[in-house]
Amino acid sequence: MRIVRSTAAMQRLARQWQRQGQRVGFVPTMGYLHAGHLSLVQEARRRIGPVGQVVVSIYVNPTQFGPQEDLSRYPRDLKRDLRLCRAAGADVVFTPTDAEMYPGWGKAADEPAHGDARPTFSTYIVEEQLSRCMEGAARPTHFRGVTTVVAKLFNLVLPELTVFGAKDWQQAAIIQRMTHDLNFPVKIIVAPTVRALDGLALSSRNQYLDAAQRAQAVILSQAIKRARVAVRRKSMPAARLKTDLRNFIASAPLARLDYVEAFDPDTLTPVITAKRGTQLALAVFFGPTRLIDNGRL
Ligand code: AMP
């Protein structure tokens, strides 16, 4: 397995593969890998074939964190991640520095760099429809950072296909839209959410939870199951379903609901009537830690 740190080297390698007619599958991550990430690597391998190239990027992308968020304390363990990537059958791990990805970033973007010949990063990609609700409403600049970094990674890795997790449903929908709108020649695959035995969706952020919070964090997946049962036989007003789920989540004393939404899985527009096939998503705080989950009803 090869480890690539510079953007120039990654793009050179990708162009070489392109000339050789090699297939390339890609899994972008922020590292601190768990079985959910590794399932995406396996899916990329399965689709690209044994001789194709599977690239995993490990990069904690600063532009998708808000000023009050956990960028500096986001968990990192590159040594362990590399071991896991090797075991999962990745061919290349691309792990660039901030200076490589966003030259000059951190200086005020609206200030000209007087007498400074270094380039300053100042171009972003903004998806304007699907990014406004749910995670986008709670985290206003988050998706701008996600679409920008994913577009950059596509241009560096030149993948034929890229695998994202259904765990971040809205993110996957936005990336699909961006890929379509901007004509990236990349197929987007969305792979199922991998969960702990009790139902909690695996997440790098789960390690922030103390034992009591971890025990109650199962409330997210239980809420999805509860909603599934509620609409199994017949549809119901989404408002009534959401009120019931708010009360249900309040039954976990350490949980503080951020939002719960019932929406169309493709357009992400909220539904009036929740029924089979409706998508449900929620975000719940445990102390400062914010967890998200979603599922098809
Ligand atoms: P992250 O490192 O959190 O940016 O996630 C990188 C990719 O892994 C994204 O496509 C996520 O949706 C996906 N992912 C995260 N958690 C899971 C999970 N539990 N199951 C499947 N995919 C996941």
Side-chain angles (χ1 to χ4, degrees):
M1 188 180 77
R2 204 185 304 202
I3 299 160
V4 178
R5 293 183 183 279
S6 88
T7 50
M10 186 66 247
Q11 205 170 44
R12 213 165 32 238
L13 188 58
R15 296 187 70 181
Q16 185 188 320
W17 290 334
Q18 207 168 48
R19 280 194 300 274
Q20 295 166 343
Q22 294 219 52
R23 303 186 66 190
V24 181
F26 178 42
V27 178
T29 82
M30 297 207 299
Y32 212 73
L33 303 180
H34 51 63
H37 296 114
L38 300 176
S39 75
L40 309 185
V41 179
Q42 282 150 10
E43 182 63 16
R45 170 61 68 206
R46 198 179 67 74
R47 288 179 178 262
I48 217 74
V51 295
Q53 301 287 335
V54 172
V55 180
V56 178
S57 66
I58 297 178
Y59 179 57
V60 182
N61 172 39
T63 61
Q64 70 189 69
F65 286 78
Q68 309 301 326
E69 293 181 1
D70 56 344
L71 173 61
S72 62
R73 63 182 196 112
Y74 195 83
R76 295 161 212 244
D77 188 345
L78 184 60
K79 240 171 105 177
R80 179 172 163 276
D81 287 349
L82 293 176
R83 207 166 56 237
L84 291 170
C85 284
R86 196 174 286 118
D91 297 296
V92 171
V93 170
F94 175 49
T95 178
T97 60
D98 288 344
E100 279 284 318
M101 289 297 275
Y102 298 106
W105 190 76
K107 291 192 296 187
D110 50 357
E111 252 177 54
H114 292 296
D116 187 345
R118 285 177 306 168
T120 300
F121 185 88
S122 58
T123 307
Y124 292 87
I125 290 180
V126 182
E127 191 289 321
E128 297 203 326
Q129 202 173 68
L130 308 176
S131 305
R132 296 190 196 279
C133 58
M134 297 188 281
E135 289 302 289
R139 307 176 68 191
T141 56
H142 172 64
F143 286 123
R144 178 184 87 145
V146 171
T147 43
T148 301
V149 81
V150 170
K152 284 169 67 68
L153 290 167
F154 282 177
N155 285 332
L156 295 169
V157 177
L158 305 177
E160 162 188 331
L161 65 86
T162 300
V163 189
F164 290 88
K167 154 93 186 332
D168 300 277
W169 186 267
Q170 188 177 11
Q171 168 173 284
I174 290 166
I175 296 297
Q176 254 158 340
R177 177 65 63 84
M178 174 189 81
T179 304
H180 174 264
D181 286 352
L182 301 184
N183 306 95
F184 281 103
V186 183
K187 185 175 165 69
I188 306 298
I189 310 294
V190 182
T193 302
V194 176
R195 299 177 178 281
L197 280 178
D198 67 353
L200 177 65
L202 297 188
S203 164
S204 309
R205 289 188 168 103
N206 290 350
Q207 66 106 33
Y208 296 145
L209 304 171
D210 65 29
Q213 292 170 333
R214 171 63 188 82
Q216 290 184 26
V218 69
I219 198 84
L220 283 92
S221 60
Q222 283 176 344
I224 297 167
K225 282 188 203 146
R226 185 178 171 91
R228 217 170 259 149
V229 171
V231 304
R232 182 171 291 158
R233 290 258 171 70
K234 63 182 177 67
S235 59
M236 71 189 284
R240 188 147 63 83
L241 176 66
K242 291 198 292 184
T243 301
D244 172 70
L245 294 175
R246 276 187 208 106
N247 292 333
F248 178 64
I249 285 157
S251 72
L254 300 176
R256 185 167 61 80
L257 181 67
D258 188 1
Y259 68 79
V260 57
E261 194 56 86
F263 56 97
D264 178 285
D266 299 318
T267 64
L268 307 189
T269 45
V271 294
I272 307 287
T273 306
K275 53 177 189 271
R276 279 181 144 188
T278 295
Q279 197 80 13
L280 188 92
L282 71 171
V284 178
F285 280 102
F286 288 88
T289 304
R290 188 168 173 281
L291 302 182
I292 59 172
D293 200 353
N294 74 87
R296 187 69 56 90
L297 303 188

